[in-house]
Amino acid sequence: MSAETNNASAVTGSCLCGGVAFSAPRFDGPVVACHCTQCRKTSGHFVAATRAKRAYIKFSSDETLTWFRSSPEAERGFCNRCGGNLFWRRIDSDNMSIMAGALDAPTDLHLTRHIYVADKGDYYDIDDGFETFGGSDE
Ligand SMILES: [Zn+2]
Ligand SMILES: [Zn+2]
């Protein structure tokens, strides 16, 4: 355990009903907005998520956490009671994306880019000046 995993500074998060509650001591990325069709269909708009090592995410409750296999490579975690969108992860990855809206302030995070804008809904524009990518930013 390094100082970076000091639990005193962990950011907490939860779904709306509290059936899923967790904390993460540190994040490995900024907040990225994803406009892909899957994110649109599961969230009702688009998703904004940061990322953390799976091993660092501690659950104080996972009572209502359910995983939906959304593609051959990935799955999405949501609350089966209130419907909150919480997580996205590649099956074979050590990382997990965390929906930023589920986090409690202060997060010390900032949205920096938009990805999969080629798939975005046709009812809004992206004009906040942040970097945009037609597909993945990788
Ligand atoms: Zn819930
Ligand atoms: Zn997406």
Side-chain angles (χ1 to χ4, degrees):
M1 282 286 197
S2 72
E4 287 177 325
T5 62
N6 180 357
N7 217 31
S9 60
V11 173
T12 56
S14 69
C15 62
L16 180 59
C17 77
V20 184
F22 58 93
S23 65
R26 62 186 293 266
F27 300 107
D28 295 327
V31 176
V32 176
C34 184
H35 300 261
C36 81
T37 304
Q38 290 194 1
C39 285
R40 291 170 47 207
K41 297 285 182 182
T42 55
S43 71
H45 190 27
F46 62 85
V47 147
T50 182
R51 192 169 66 169
K53 288 265 180 295
R54 279 194 209 189
Y56 291 171
I57 300 169
K58 303 291 180 223
F59 287 91
S60 52
S61 175
D62 61 359
E63 184 191 340
T64 56
L65 178 60
T66 300
W67 290 95
F68 171 68
R69 188 73 174 258
S70 50
S71 72
E73 305 83 29
E75 57 188 359
R76 290 167 182 271
F78 65 98
C79 171
N80 65 33
R81 187 161 57 205
C82 71
N85 285 286
L86 298 165
F87 308 113
W88 178 91
R89 66 186 183 191
R90 282 189 201 286
I91 302 299
D92 60 358
S93 172
D94 292 336
N95 295 312
M96 191 146 86
S97 291
I98 303 171
M99 307 317 178
L103 299 172
D104 304 312
T107 64
D108 205 27
L109 292 167
H110 293 281
L111 193 146
T112 61
R113 68 183 74 120
H114 298 273
I115 63 172
Y116 289 97
V117 299
D119 298 331
K120 80 173 189 63
D122 64 2
Y123 59 92
Y124 62 93
D125 297 313
I126 300 170
D127 54 9
D128 55 19
F130 295 120
E131 209 172 1
T132 60
F133 298 82
S136 167
D137 59 351
E138 288 167 0

